[in-house]
Amino acid sequence: EQISESQELAKYIVFEITETAAINNYELVKQFIDDLNDFGCKFALDDFGTGMSSYGYLRNIPVDFIKVDGSFIKQILDNDYDQTIVKSICEISVQLGIKTIAEFVENEQVLDKIKEMGFDYGQGYHIDKPKLI
């Protein structure tokens, strides 16, 4: 109701839905996204890679962003396994036209690595600390 009354602001709203919640409540989440997409809202699939994920869900859940969980990002420089997982998520996202966000970007080296891998955005203390609106 609030969004329908302020439709010009809807394009600035991004709802974050955790991967686990999206999978466990698939039909409800898909309907929620479909309804609010009509107003211009965007959606991010949060904590991607930590739950019982399947790339197959990405074709069916119309999200605009995938936020790769920080547990993978914070070890991306030293852990080949995490690098491989993150790279695969980023590549699939590009193929599906979904923007990527790396959580937990805490230093310049991690920022350089995610840029090299093709991430669209980063989130973390190295970029900026959270602030009140």
mmCIF file with all atom_site columns, all heavy atoms in Angstrom, residues 65-68 73 99-106 110-112 114-115 118-128:
data_model
loop_
_atom_site.group_PDB
_atom_site.id
_atom_site.type_symbol
_atom_site.label_atom_id
_atom_site.label_alt_id
_atom_site.label_comp_id
_atom_site.label_asym_id
_atom_site.label_entity_id
_atom_site.label_seq_id
_atom_site.pdbx_PDB_ins_code
_atom_site.Cartn_x
_atom_site.Cartn_y
_atom_site.Cartn_z
_atom_site.occupancy
_atom_site.B_iso_or_equiv
_atom_site.pdbx_formal_charge
_atom_site.auth_seq_id
_atom_site.auth_comp_id
_atom_site.auth_asym_id
_atom_site.auth_atom_id
_atom_site.pdbx_PDB_model_num
ATOM 1   N N   . PHE A 1 65  ? 19.923 -8.704  -8.131  1.00 0.00 ? 65  PHE A N   1
ATOM 2   C CA  . PHE A 1 65  ? 21.266 -8.767  -7.563  1.00 0.00 ? 65  PHE A CA  1
ATOM 3   C C   . PHE A 1 65  ? 21.465 -10.083 -6.825  1.00 0.00 ? 65  PHE A C   1
ATOM 4   O O   . PHE A 1 65  ? 20.521 -10.605 -6.237  1.00 0.00 ? 65  PHE A O   1
ATOM 5   C CB  . PHE A 1 65  ? 21.484 -7.645  -6.533  1.00 0.00 ? 65  PHE A CB  1
ATOM 6   C CG  . PHE A 1 65  ? 21.227 -6.262  -7.053  1.00 0.00 ? 65  PHE A CG  1
ATOM 7   C CD1 . PHE A 1 65  ? 19.992 -5.670  -6.886  1.00 0.00 ? 65  PHE A CD1 1
ATOM 8   C CD2 . PHE A 1 65  ? 22.222 -5.557  -7.696  1.00 0.00 ? 65  PHE A CD2 1
ATOM 9   C CE1 . PHE A 1 65  ? 19.739 -4.389  -7.350  1.00 0.00 ? 65  PHE A CE1 1
ATOM 10  C CE2 . PHE A 1 65  ? 21.983 -4.273  -8.169  1.00 0.00 ? 65  PHE A CE2 1
ATOM 11  C CZ  . PHE A 1 65  ? 20.740 -3.690  -7.999  1.00 0.00 ? 65  PHE A CZ  1
ATOM 12  N N   . ILE A 1 66  ? 22.695 -10.555 -6.821  1.00 0.00 ? 66  ILE A N   1
ATOM 13  C CA  . ILE A 1 66  ? 23.089 -11.670 -5.957  1.00 0.00 ? 66  ILE A CA  1
ATOM 14  C C   . ILE A 1 66  ? 24.201 -11.154 -5.062  1.00 0.00 ? 66  ILE A C   1
ATOM 15  O O   . ILE A 1 66  ? 25.202 -10.609 -5.544  1.00 0.00 ? 66  ILE A O   1
ATOM 16  C CB  . ILE A 1 66  ? 23.590 -12.878 -6.759  1.00 0.00 ? 66  ILE A CB  1
ATOM 17  C CG1 . ILE A 1 66  ? 22.433 -13.523 -7.486  1.00 0.00 ? 66  ILE A CG1 1
ATOM 18  C CG2 . ILE A 1 66  ? 24.286 -13.884 -5.840  1.00 0.00 ? 66  ILE A CG2 1
ATOM 19  C CD1 . ILE A 1 66  ? 22.820 -14.712 -8.323  1.00 0.00 ? 66  ILE A CD1 1
ATOM 20  N N   . LYS A 1 67  ? 23.991 -11.276 -3.755  1.00 0.00 ? 67  LYS A N   1
ATOM 21  C CA  . LYS A 1 67  ? 25.010 -10.885 -2.789  1.00 0.00 ? 67  LYS A CA  1
ATOM 22  C C   . LYS A 1 67  ? 25.738 -12.147 -2.340  1.00 0.00 ? 67  LYS A C   1
ATOM 23  O O   . LYS A 1 67  ? 25.172 -12.984 -1.653  1.00 0.00 ? 67  LYS A O   1
ATOM 24  C CB  . LYS A 1 67  ? 24.366 -10.181 -1.598  1.00 0.00 ? 67  LYS A CB  1
ATOM 25  C CG  . LYS A 1 67  ? 23.756 -8.833  -1.968  1.00 0.00 ? 67  LYS A CG  1
ATOM 26  C CD  . LYS A 1 67  ? 23.155 -8.148  -0.777  1.00 0.00 ? 67  LYS A CD  1
ATOM 27  C CE  . LYS A 1 67  ? 24.239 -7.664  0.150   1.00 0.00 ? 67  LYS A CE  1
ATOM 28  N NZ  . LYS A 1 67  ? 23.706 -6.913  1.300   1.00 0.00 ? 67  LYS A NZ  1
ATOM 29  N N   . VAL A 1 68  ? 26.989 -12.253 -2.754  1.00 0.00 ? 68  VAL A N   1
ATOM 30  C CA  . VAL A 1 68  ? 27.786 -13.419 -2.388  1.00 0.00 ? 68  VAL A CA  1
ATOM 31  C C   . VAL A 1 68  ? 28.176 -13.281 -0.921  1.00 0.00 ? 68  VAL A C   1
ATOM 32  O O   . VAL A 1 68  ? 28.708 -12.251 -0.500  1.00 0.00 ? 68  VAL A O   1
ATOM 33  C CB  . VAL A 1 68  ? 29.026 -13.559 -3.283  1.00 0.00 ? 68  VAL A CB  1
ATOM 34  C CG1 . VAL A 1 68  ? 29.886 -14.735 -2.837  1.00 0.00 ? 68  VAL A CG1 1
ATOM 35  C CG2 . VAL A 1 68  ? 28.602 -13.726 -4.742  1.00 0.00 ? 68  VAL A CG2 1
ATOM 36  N N   . ILE A 1 73  ? 33.975 -14.367 0.605   1.00 0.00 ? 73  ILE A N   1
ATOM 37  C CA  . ILE A 1 73  ? 34.761 -13.211 0.172   1.00 0.00 ? 73  ILE A CA  1
ATOM 38  C C   . ILE A 1 73  ? 35.954 -12.959 1.086   1.00 0.00 ? 73  ILE A C   1
ATOM 39  O O   . ILE A 1 73  ? 37.055 -12.667 0.613   1.00 0.00 ? 73  ILE A O   1
ATOM 40  C CB  . ILE A 1 73  ? 33.876 -11.945 0.085   1.00 0.00 ? 73  ILE A CB  1
ATOM 41  C CG1 . ILE A 1 73  ? 32.721 -12.155 -0.890  1.00 0.00 ? 73  ILE A CG1 1
ATOM 42  C CG2 . ILE A 1 73  ? 34.705 -10.720 -0.291  1.00 0.00 ? 73  ILE A CG2 1
ATOM 43  C CD1 . ILE A 1 73  ? 33.097 -12.477 -2.310  1.00 0.00 ? 73  ILE A CD1 1
ATOM 44  N N   . LYS A 1 99  ? 23.139 -8.678  -11.512 1.00 0.00 ? 99  LYS A N   1
ATOM 45  C CA  . LYS A 1 99  ? 24.279 -7.943  -10.959 1.00 0.00 ? 99  LYS A CA  1
ATOM 46  C C   . LYS A 1 99  ? 24.803 -8.649  -9.707  1.00 0.00 ? 99  LYS A C   1
ATOM 47  O O   . LYS A 1 99  ? 24.032 -9.255  -8.961  1.00 0.00 ? 99  LYS A O   1
ATOM 48  C CB  . LYS A 1 99  ? 23.881 -6.507  -10.592 1.00 0.00 ? 99  LYS A CB  1
ATOM 49  C CG  . LYS A 1 99  ? 23.389 -5.693  -11.760 1.00 0.00 ? 99  LYS A CG  1
ATOM 50  C CD  . LYS A 1 99  ? 24.531 -5.269  -12.627 1.00 0.00 ? 99  LYS A CD  1
ATOM 51  C CE  . LYS A 1 99  ? 24.033 -4.357  -13.733 1.00 0.00 ? 99  LYS A CE  1
ATOM 52  N NZ  . LYS A 1 99  ? 25.038 -4.094  -14.709 1.00 0.00 ? 99  LYS A NZ  1
ATOM 53  N N   . THR A 1 100 ? 26.102 -8.548  -9.487  1.00 0.00 ? 100 THR A N   1
ATOM 54  C CA  . THR A 1 100 ? 26.723 -9.225  -8.353  1.00 0.00 ? 100 THR A CA  1
ATOM 55  C C   . THR A 1 100 ? 27.246 -8.219  -7.330  1.00 0.00 ? 100 THR A C   1
ATOM 56  O O   . THR A 1 100 ? 27.757 -7.162  -7.687  1.00 0.00 ? 100 THR A O   1
ATOM 57  C CB  . THR A 1 100 ? 27.893 -10.108 -8.824  1.00 0.00 ? 100 THR A CB  1
ATOM 58  O OG1 . THR A 1 100 ? 28.751 -9.333  -9.664  1.00 0.00 ? 100 THR A OG1 1
ATOM 59  C CG2 . THR A 1 100 ? 27.392 -11.319 -9.586  1.00 0.00 ? 100 THR A CG2 1
ATOM 60  N N   . ILE A 1 101 ? 27.104 -8.611  -6.061  1.00 0.00 ? 101 ILE A N   1
ATOM 61  C CA  . ILE A 1 101 ? 27.593 -7.808  -4.943  1.00 0.00 ? 101 ILE A CA  1
ATOM 62  C C   . ILE A 1 101 ? 28.436 -8.725  -4.064  1.00 0.00 ? 101 ILE A C   1
ATOM 63  O O   . ILE A 1 101 ? 27.980 -9.787  -3.656  1.00 0.00 ? 101 ILE A O   1
ATOM 64  C CB  . ILE A 1 101 ? 26.433 -7.235  -4.104  1.00 0.00 ? 101 ILE A CB  1
ATOM 65  C CG1 . ILE A 1 101 ? 25.490 -6.399  -4.968  1.00 0.00 ? 101 ILE A CG1 1
ATOM 66  C CG2 . ILE A 1 101 ? 26.979 -6.416  -2.924  1.00 0.00 ? 101 ILE A CG2 1
ATOM 67  C CD1 . ILE A 1 101 ? 24.184 -6.027  -4.273  1.00 0.00 ? 101 ILE A CD1 1
ATOM 68  N N   . ALA A 1 102 ? 29.645 -8.307  -3.766  1.00 0.00 ? 102 ALA A N   1
ATOM 69  C CA  . ALA A 1 102 ? 30.505 -9.053  -2.850  1.00 0.00 ? 102 ALA A CA  1
ATOM 70  C C   . ALA A 1 102 ? 30.392 -8.427  -1.463  1.00 0.00 ? 102 ALA A C   1
ATOM 71  O O   . ALA A 1 102 ? 30.641 -7.231  -1.303  1.00 0.00 ? 102 ALA A O   1
ATOM 72  C CB  . ALA A 1 102 ? 31.960 -9.017  -3.318  1.00 0.00 ? 102 ALA A CB  1
ATOM 73  N N   . GLU A 1 103 ? 29.985 -9.227  -0.489  1.00 0.00 ? 103 GLU A N   1
ATOM 74  C CA  . GLU A 1 103 ? 29.931 -8.760  0.893   1.00 0.00 ? 103 GLU A CA  1
ATOM 75  C C   . GLU A 1 103 ? 31.321 -8.868  1.515   1.00 0.00 ? 103 GLU A C   1
ATOM 76  O O   . GLU A 1 103 ? 32.175 -9.600  1.027   1.00 0.00 ? 103 GLU A O   1
ATOM 77  C CB  . GLU A 1 103 ? 28.967 -9.625  1.707   1.00 0.00 ? 103 GLU A CB  1
ATOM 78  C CG  . GLU A 1 103 ? 27.530 -9.539  1.265   1.00 0.00 ? 103 GLU A CG  1
ATOM 79  C CD  . GLU A 1 103 ? 26.615 -10.420 2.105   1.00 0.00 ? 103 GLU A CD  1
ATOM 80  O OE1 . GLU A 1 103 ? 27.062 -11.441 2.664   1.00 0.00 ? 103 GLU A OE1 1
ATOM 81  O OE2 . GLU A 1 103 ? 25.436 -10.082 2.198   1.00 0.00 ? 103 GLU A OE2 1
ATOM 82  N N   . PHE A 1 104 ? 31.533 -8.135  2.601   1.00 0.00 ? 104 PHE A N   1
ATOM 83  C CA  . PHE A 1 104 ? 32.726 -8.254  3.438   1.00 0.00 ? 104 PHE A CA  1
ATOM 84  C C   . PHE A 1 104 ? 34.007 -7.846  2.710   1.00 0.00 ? 104 PHE A C   1
ATOM 85  O O   . PHE A 1 104 ? 35.046 -8.493  2.827   1.00 0.00 ? 104 PHE A O   1
ATOM 86  C CB  . PHE A 1 104 ? 32.856 -9.689  3.977   1.00 0.00 ? 104 PHE A CB  1
ATOM 87  C CG  . PHE A 1 104 ? 33.450 -9.755  5.358   1.00 0.00 ? 104 PHE A CG  1
ATOM 88  C CD1 . PHE A 1 104 ? 32.642 -9.696  6.470   1.00 0.00 ? 104 PHE A CD1 1
ATOM 89  C CD2 . PHE A 1 104 ? 34.818 -9.865  5.542   1.00 0.00 ? 104 PHE A CD2 1
ATOM 90  C CE1 . PHE A 1 104 ? 33.170 -9.753  7.748   1.00 0.00 ? 104 PHE A CE1 1
ATOM 91  C CE2 . PHE A 1 104 ? 35.361 -9.924  6.805   1.00 0.00 ? 104 PHE A CE2 1
ATOM 92  C CZ  . PHE A 1 104 ? 34.546 -9.860  7.919   1.00 0.00 ? 104 PHE A CZ  1
ATOM 93  N N   . VAL A 1 105 ? 33.943 -6.756  1.941   1.00 0.00 ? 105 VAL A N   1
ATOM 94  C CA  . VAL A 1 105 ? 35.136 -6.214  1.287   1.00 0.00 ? 105 VAL A CA  1
ATOM 95  C C   . VAL A 1 105 ? 35.838 -5.345  2.324   1.00 0.00 ? 105 VAL A C   1
ATOM 96  O O   . VAL A 1 105 ? 35.415 -4.235  2.601   1.00 0.00 ? 105 VAL A O   1
ATOM 97  C CB  . VAL A 1 105 ? 34.767 -5.411  0.027   1.00 0.00 ? 105 VAL A CB  1
ATOM 98  C CG1 . VAL A 1 105 ? 36.014 -4.806  -0.609  1.00 0.00 ? 105 VAL A CG1 1
ATOM 99  C CG2 . VAL A 1 105 ? 34.024 -6.303  -0.961  1.00 0.00 ? 105 VAL A CG2 1
ATOM 100 N N   . GLU A 1 106 ? 36.899 -5.899  2.918   1.00 0.00 ? 106 GLU A N   1
ATOM 101 C CA  . GLU A 1 106 ? 37.529 -5.264  4.071   1.00 0.00 ? 106 GLU A CA  1
ATOM 102 C C   . GLU A 1 106 ? 38.890 -4.643  3.786   1.00 0.00 ? 106 GLU A C   1
ATOM 103 O O   . GLU A 1 106 ? 39.458 -4.000  4.661   1.00 0.00 ? 106 GLU A O   1
ATOM 104 C CB  . GLU A 1 106 ? 37.664 -6.283  5.212   1.00 0.00 ? 106 GLU A CB  1
ATOM 105 C CG  . GLU A 1 106 ? 36.331 -6.882  5.637   1.00 0.00 ? 106 GLU A CG  1
ATOM 106 C CD  . GLU A 1 106 ? 35.341 -5.852  6.147   1.00 0.00 ? 106 GLU A CD  1
ATOM 107 O OE1 . GLU A 1 106 ? 35.694 -5.085  7.050   1.00 0.00 ? 106 GLU A OE1 1
ATOM 108 O OE2 . GLU A 1 106 ? 34.215 -5.795  5.625   1.00 0.00 ? 106 GLU A OE2 1
ATOM 109 N N   . VAL A 1 110 ? 41.211 -7.339  -1.476  1.00 0.00 ? 110 VAL A N   1
ATOM 110 C CA  . VAL A 1 110 ? 39.942 -8.015  -1.757  1.00 0.00 ? 110 VAL A CA  1
ATOM 111 C C   . VAL A 1 110 ? 39.165 -7.218  -2.800  1.00 0.00 ? 110 VAL A C   1
ATOM 112 O O   . VAL A 1 110 ? 38.595 -7.800  -3.731  1.00 0.00 ? 110 VAL A O   1
ATOM 113 C CB  . VAL A 1 110 ? 39.115 -8.226  -0.472  1.00 0.00 ? 110 VAL A CB  1
ATOM 114 C CG1 . VAL A 1 110 ? 37.715 -8.726  -0.792  1.00 0.00 ? 110 VAL A CG1 1
ATOM 115 C CG2 . VAL A 1 110 ? 39.828 -9.204  0.464   1.00 0.00 ? 110 VAL A CG2 1
ATOM 116 N N   . LEU A 1 111 ? 39.162 -5.906  -2.683  1.00 0.00 ? 111 LEU A N   1
ATOM 117 C CA  . LEU A 1 111 ? 38.482 -5.069  -3.672  1.00 0.00 ? 111 LEU A CA  1
ATOM 118 C C   . LEU A 1 111 ? 39.069 -5.304  -5.064  1.00 0.00 ? 111 LEU A C   1
ATOM 119 O O   . LEU A 1 111 ? 38.334 -5.475  -6.044  1.00 0.00 ? 111 LEU A O   1
ATOM 120 C CB  . LEU A 1 111 ? 38.574 -3.593  -3.285  1.00 0.00 ? 111 LEU A CB  1
ATOM 121 C CG  . LEU A 1 111 ? 37.885 -2.600  -4.225  1.00 0.00 ? 111 LEU A CG  1
ATOM 122 C CD1 . LEU A 1 111 ? 36.391 -2.888  -4.337  1.00 0.00 ? 111 LEU A CD1 1
ATOM 123 C CD2 . LEU A 1 111 ? 38.124 -1.174  -3.745  1.00 0.00 ? 111 LEU A CD2 1
ATOM 124 N N   . ASP A 1 112 ? 40.386 -5.338  -5.163  1.00 0.00 ? 112 ASP A N   1
ATOM 125 C CA  . ASP A 1 112 ? 41.038 -5.599  -6.454  1.00 0.00 ? 112 ASP A CA  1
ATOM 126 C C   . ASP A 1 112 ? 40.646 -6.967  -7.001  1.00 0.00 ? 112 ASP A C   1
ATOM 127 O O   . ASP A 1 112 ? 40.401 -7.114  -8.198  1.00 0.00 ? 112 ASP A O   1
ATOM 128 C CB  . ASP A 1 112 ? 42.561 -5.515  -6.320  1.00 0.00 ? 112 ASP A CB  1
ATOM 129 C CG  . ASP A 1 112 ? 43.056 -4.095  -6.089  1.00 0.00 ? 112 ASP A CG  1
ATOM 130 O OD1 . ASP A 1 112 ? 42.292 -3.128  -6.346  1.00 0.00 ? 112 ASP A OD1 1
ATOM 131 O OD2 . ASP A 1 112 ? 44.209 -3.957  -5.633  1.00 0.00 ? 112 ASP A OD2 1
ATOM 132 N N   . ILE A 1 114 ? 37.861 -8.782  -6.379  1.00 0.00 ? 114 ILE A N   1
ATOM 133 C CA  . ILE A 1 114 ? 36.477 -8.864  -6.862  1.00 0.00 ? 114 ILE A CA  1
ATOM 134 C C   . ILE A 1 114 ? 36.309 -8.092  -8.165  1.00 0.00 ? 114 ILE A C   1
ATOM 135 O O   . ILE A 1 114 ? 35.527 -8.492  -9.025  1.00 0.00 ? 114 ILE A O   1
ATOM 136 C CB  . ILE A 1 114 ? 35.430 -8.445  -5.799  1.00 0.00 ? 114 ILE A CB  1
ATOM 137 C CG1 . ILE A 1 114 ? 35.530 -6.971  -5.454  1.00 0.00 ? 114 ILE A CG1 1
ATOM 138 C CG2 . ILE A 1 114 ? 35.517 -9.339  -4.570  1.00 0.00 ? 114 ILE A CG2 1
ATOM 139 C CD1 . ILE A 1 114 ? 34.339 -6.417  -4.704  1.00 0.00 ? 114 ILE A CD1 1
ATOM 140 N N   . LYS A 1 115 ? 37.036 -6.999  -8.326  1.00 0.00 ? 115 LYS A N   1
ATOM 141 C CA  . LYS A 1 115 ? 37.002 -6.268  -9.596  1.00 0.00 ? 115 LYS A CA  1
ATOM 142 C C   . LYS A 1 115 ? 37.531 -7.161  -10.722 1.00 0.00 ? 115 LYS A C   1
ATOM 143 O O   . LYS A 1 115 ? 36.935 -7.234  -11.797 1.00 0.00 ? 115 LYS A O   1
ATOM 144 C CB  . LYS A 1 115 ? 37.848 -4.999  -9.518  1.00 0.00 ? 115 LYS A CB  1
ATOM 145 C CG  . LYS A 1 115 ? 37.219 -3.870  -8.750  1.00 0.00 ? 115 LYS A CG  1
ATOM 146 C CD  . LYS A 1 115 ? 38.166 -2.673  -8.747  1.00 0.00 ? 115 LYS A CD  1
ATOM 147 C CE  . LYS A 1 115 ? 37.630 -1.520  -7.966  1.00 0.00 ? 115 LYS A CE  1
ATOM 148 N NZ  . LYS A 1 115 ? 38.597 -0.390  -7.927  1.00 0.00 ? 115 LYS A NZ  1
ATOM 149 N N   . GLY A 1 118 ? 35.073 -9.642  -11.887 1.00 0.00 ? 118 GLY A N   1
ATOM 150 C CA  . GLY A 1 118 ? 33.927 -9.125  -12.621 1.00 0.00 ? 118 GLY A CA  1
ATOM 151 C C   . GLY A 1 118 ? 32.726 -8.732  -11.791 1.00 0.00 ? 118 GLY A C   1
ATOM 152 O O   . GLY A 1 118 ? 31.636 -8.558  -12.330 1.00 0.00 ? 118 GLY A O   1
ATOM 153 N N   . PHE A 1 119 ? 32.905 -8.575  -10.488 1.00 0.00 ? 119 PHE A N   1
ATOM 154 C CA  . PHE A 1 119 ? 31.785 -8.143  -9.640  1.00 0.00 ? 119 PHE A CA  1
ATOM 155 C C   . PHE A 1 119 ? 31.343 -6.743  -10.025 1.00 0.00 ? 119 PHE A C   1
ATOM 156 O O   . PHE A 1 119 ? 32.152 -5.904  -10.422 1.00 0.00 ? 119 PHE A O   1
ATOM 157 C CB  . PHE A 1 119 ? 32.178 -8.168  -8.158  1.00 0.00 ? 119 PHE A CB  1
ATOM 158 C CG  . PHE A 1 119 ? 31.978 -9.489  -7.510  1.00 0.00 ? 119 PHE A CG  1
ATOM 159 C CD1 . PHE A 1 119 ? 32.921 -10.497 -7.654  1.00 0.00 ? 119 PHE A CD1 1
ATOM 160 C CD2 . PHE A 1 119 ? 30.843 -9.748  -6.758  1.00 0.00 ? 119 PHE A CD2 1
ATOM 161 C CE1 . PHE A 1 119 ? 32.736 -11.729 -7.067  1.00 0.00 ? 119 PHE A CE1 1
ATOM 162 C CE2 . PHE A 1 119 ? 30.650 -10.977 -6.167  1.00 0.00 ? 119 PHE A CE2 1
ATOM 163 C CZ  . PHE A 1 119 ? 31.600 -11.975 -6.325  1.00 0.00 ? 119 PHE A CZ  1
ATOM 164 N N   . ASP A 1 120 ? 30.052 -6.496  -9.875  1.00 0.00 ? 120 ASP A N   1
ATOM 165 C CA  . ASP A 1 120 ? 29.495 -5.177  -10.160 1.00 0.00 ? 120 ASP A CA  1
ATOM 166 C C   . ASP A 1 120 ? 29.640 -4.233  -8.974  1.00 0.00 ? 120 ASP A C   1
ATOM 167 O O   . ASP A 1 120 ? 29.856 -3.038  -9.156  1.00 0.00 ? 120 ASP A O   1
ATOM 168 C CB  . ASP A 1 120 ? 28.006 -5.303  -10.529 1.00 0.00 ? 120 ASP A CB  1
ATOM 169 C CG  . ASP A 1 120 ? 27.817 -6.113  -11.797 1.00 0.00 ? 120 ASP A CG  1
ATOM 170 O OD1 . ASP A 1 120 ? 28.235 -5.640  -12.863 1.00 0.00 ? 120 ASP A OD1 1
ATOM 171 O OD2 . ASP A 1 120 ? 27.265 -7.230  -11.703 1.00 0.00 ? 120 ASP A OD2 1
ATOM 172 N N   . TYR A 1 121 ? 29.482 -4.779  -7.766  1.00 0.00 ? 121 TYR A N   1
ATOM 173 C CA  . TYR A 1 121 ? 29.503 -3.964  -6.558  1.00 0.00 ? 121 TYR A CA  1
ATOM 174 C C   . TYR A 1 121 ? 30.213 -4.701  -5.431  1.00 0.00 ? 121 TYR A C   1
ATOM 175 O O   . TYR A 1 121 ? 30.297 -5.917  -5.422  1.00 0.00 ? 121 TYR A O   1
ATOM 176 C CB  . TYR A 1 121 ? 28.075 -3.638  -6.080  1.00 0.00 ? 121 TYR A CB  1
ATOM 177 C CG  . TYR A 1 121 ? 27.225 -2.954  -7.119  1.00 0.00 ? 121 TYR A CG  1
ATOM 178 C CD1 . TYR A 1 121 ? 26.309 -3.671  -7.879  1.00 0.00 ? 121 TYR A CD1 1
ATOM 179 C CD2 . TYR A 1 121 ? 27.332 -1.583  -7.338  1.00 0.00 ? 121 TYR A CD2 1
ATOM 180 C CE1 . TYR A 1 121 ? 25.527 -3.050  -8.839  1.00 0.00 ? 121 TYR A CE1 1
ATOM 181 C CE2 . TYR A 1 121 ? 26.543 -0.948  -8.293  1.00 0.00 ? 121 TYR A CE2 1
ATOM 182 C CZ  . TYR A 1 121 ? 25.647 -1.687  -9.046  1.00 0.00 ? 121 TYR A CZ  1
ATOM 183 O OH  . TYR A 1 121 ? 24.884 -1.062  -9.981  1.00 0.00 ? 121 TYR A OH  1
ATOM 184 N N   . GLY A 1 122 ? 30.668 -3.904  -4.463  1.00 0.00 ? 122 GLY A N   1
ATOM 185 C CA  . GLY A 1 122 ? 31.227 -4.456  -3.237  1.00 0.00 ? 122 GLY A CA  1
ATOM 186 C C   . GLY A 1 122 ? 30.582 -3.777  -2.046  1.00 0.00 ? 122 GLY A C   1
ATOM 187 O O   . GLY A 1 122 ? 30.096 -2.654  -2.147  1.00 0.00 ? 122 GLY A O   1
ATOM 188 N N   . GLN A 1 123 ? 30.586 -4.491  -0.935  1.00 0.00 ? 123 GLN A N   1
ATOM 189 C CA  . GLN A 1 123 ? 30.013 -3.968  0.299   1.00 0.00 ? 123 GLN A CA  1
ATOM 190 C C   . GLN A 1 123 ? 30.952 -4.363  1.421   1.00 0.00 ? 123 GLN A C   1
ATOM 191 O O   . GLN A 1 123 ? 31.359 -5.509  1.515   1.00 0.00 ? 123 GLN A O   1
ATOM 192 C CB  . GLN A 1 123 ? 28.635 -4.585  0.516   1.00 0.00 ? 123 GLN A CB  1
ATOM 193 C CG  . GLN A 1 123 ? 27.966 -4.203  1.796   1.00 0.00 ? 123 GLN A CG  1
ATOM 194 C CD  . GLN A 1 123 ? 26.623 -4.916  1.962   1.00 0.00 ? 123 GLN A CD  1
ATOM 195 O OE1 . GLN A 1 123 ? 26.025 -5.398  1.020   1.00 0.00 ? 123 GLN A OE1 1
ATOM 196 N NE2 . GLN A 1 123 ? 26.160 -4.991  3.187   1.00 0.00 ? 123 GLN A NE2 1
ATOM 197 N N   . GLY A 1 124 ? 31.317 -3.417  2.255   1.00 0.00 ? 124 GLY A N   1
ATOM 198 C CA  . GLY A 1 124 ? 32.187 -3.734  3.376   1.00 0.00 ? 124 GLY A CA  1
ATOM 199 C C   . GLY A 1 124 ? 32.875 -2.500  3.917   1.00 0.00 ? 124 GLY A C   1
ATOM 200 O O   . GLY A 1 124 ? 32.804 -1.418  3.324   1.00 0.00 ? 124 GLY A O   1
ATOM 201 N N   . TYR A 1 125 ? 33.557 -2.649  5.030   1.00 0.00 ? 125 TYR A N   1
ATOM 202 C CA  . TYR A 1 125 ? 34.176 -1.514  5.720   1.00 0.00 ? 125 TYR A CA  1
ATOM 203 C C   . TYR A 1 125 ? 35.244 -0.824  4.886   1.00 0.00 ? 125 TYR A C   1
ATOM 204 O O   . TYR A 1 125 ? 35.516 0.350   5.076   1.00 0.00 ? 125 TYR A O   1
ATOM 205 C CB  . TYR A 1 125 ? 34.770 -1.959  7.049   1.00 0.00 ? 125 TYR A CB  1
ATOM 206 C CG  . TYR A 1 125 ? 33.751 -2.136  8.159   1.00 0.00 ? 125 TYR A CG  1
ATOM 207 C CD1 . TYR A 1 125 ? 32.396 -1.934  7.936   1.00 0.00 ? 125 TYR A CD1 1
ATOM 208 C CD2 . TYR A 1 125 ? 34.164 -2.484  9.437   1.00 0.00 ? 125 TYR A CD2 1
ATOM 209 C CE1 . TYR A 1 125 ? 31.480 -2.090  8.965   1.00 0.00 ? 125 TYR A CE1 1
ATOM 210 C CE2 . TYR A 1 125 ? 33.243 -2.641  10.465  1.00 0.00 ? 125 TYR A CE2 1
ATOM 211 C CZ  . TYR A 1 125 ? 31.904 -2.439  10.213  1.00 0.00 ? 125 TYR A CZ  1
ATOM 212 O OH  . TYR A 1 125 ? 31.008 -2.580  11.230  1.00 0.00 ? 125 TYR A OH  1
ATOM 213 N N   . HIS A 1 126 ? 35.888 -1.540  3.963   1.00 0.00 ? 126 HIS A N   1
ATOM 214 C CA  . HIS A 1 126 ? 36.886 -0.877  3.136   1.00 0.00 ? 126 HIS A CA  1
ATOM 215 C C   . HIS A 1 126 ? 36.236 0.164   2.223   1.00 0.00 ? 126 HIS A C   1
ATOM 216 O O   . HIS A 1 126 ? 36.822 1.205   1.931   1.00 0.00 ? 126 HIS A O   1
ATOM 217 C CB  . HIS A 1 126 ? 37.662 -1.888  2.293   1.00 0.00 ? 126 HIS A CB  1
ATOM 218 C CG  . HIS A 1 126 ? 38.682 -1.243  1.413   1.00 0.00 ? 126 HIS A CG  1
ATOM 219 N ND1 . HIS A 1 126 ? 39.811 -0.646  1.913   1.00 0.00 ? 126 HIS A ND1 1
ATOM 220 C CD2 . HIS A 1 126 ? 38.724 -1.066  0.065   1.00 0.00 ? 126 HIS A CD2 1
ATOM 221 C CE1 . HIS A 1 126 ? 40.514 -0.145  0.910   1.00 0.00 ? 126 HIS A CE1 1
ATOM 222 N NE2 . HIS A 1 126 ? 39.872 -0.394  -0.229  1.00 0.00 ? 126 HIS A NE2 1
ATOM 223 N N   . ILE A 1 127 ? 35.015 -0.122  1.799   1.00 0.00 ? 127 ILE A N   1
ATOM 224 C CA  . ILE A 1 127 ? 34.308 0.803   0.910   1.00 0.00 ? 127 ILE A CA  1
ATOM 225 C C   . ILE A 1 127 ? 33.691 1.930   1.722   1.00 0.00 ? 127 ILE A C   1
ATOM 226 O O   . ILE A 1 127 ? 33.851 3.100   1.419   1.00 0.00 ? 127 ILE A O   1
ATOM 227 C CB  . ILE A 1 127 ? 33.261 0.031   0.083   1.00 0.00 ? 127 ILE A CB  1
ATOM 228 C CG1 . ILE A 1 127 ? 34.018 -0.933  -0.842  1.00 0.00 ? 127 ILE A CG1 1
ATOM 229 C CG2 . ILE A 1 127 ? 32.365 0.985   -0.697  1.00 0.00 ? 127 ILE A CG2 1
ATOM 230 C CD1 . ILE A 1 127 ? 33.181 -1.965  -1.491  1.00 0.00 ? 127 ILE A CD1 1
ATOM 231 N N   . ASP A 1 128 ? 32.980 1.576   2.790   1.00 0.00 ? 128 ASP A N   1
ATOM 232 C CA  . ASP A 1 128 ? 32.424 2.565   3.701   1.00 0.00 ? 128 ASP A CA  1
ATOM 233 C C   . ASP A 1 128 ? 31.733 1.827   4.844   1.00 0.00 ? 128 ASP A C   1
ATOM 234 O O   . ASP A 1 128 ? 31.269 0.716   4.676   1.00 0.00 ? 128 ASP A O   1
ATOM 235 C CB  . ASP A 1 128 ? 31.424 3.480   3.004   1.00 0.00 ? 128 ASP A CB  1
ATOM 236 C CG  . ASP A 1 128 ? 31.326 4.858   3.662   1.00 0.00 ? 128 ASP A CG  1
ATOM 237 O OD1 . ASP A 1 128 ? 31.947 5.070   4.722   1.00 0.00 ? 128 ASP A OD1 1
ATOM 238 O OD2 . ASP A 1 128 ? 30.648 5.727   3.091   1.00 0.00 ? 128 ASP A OD2 1
#
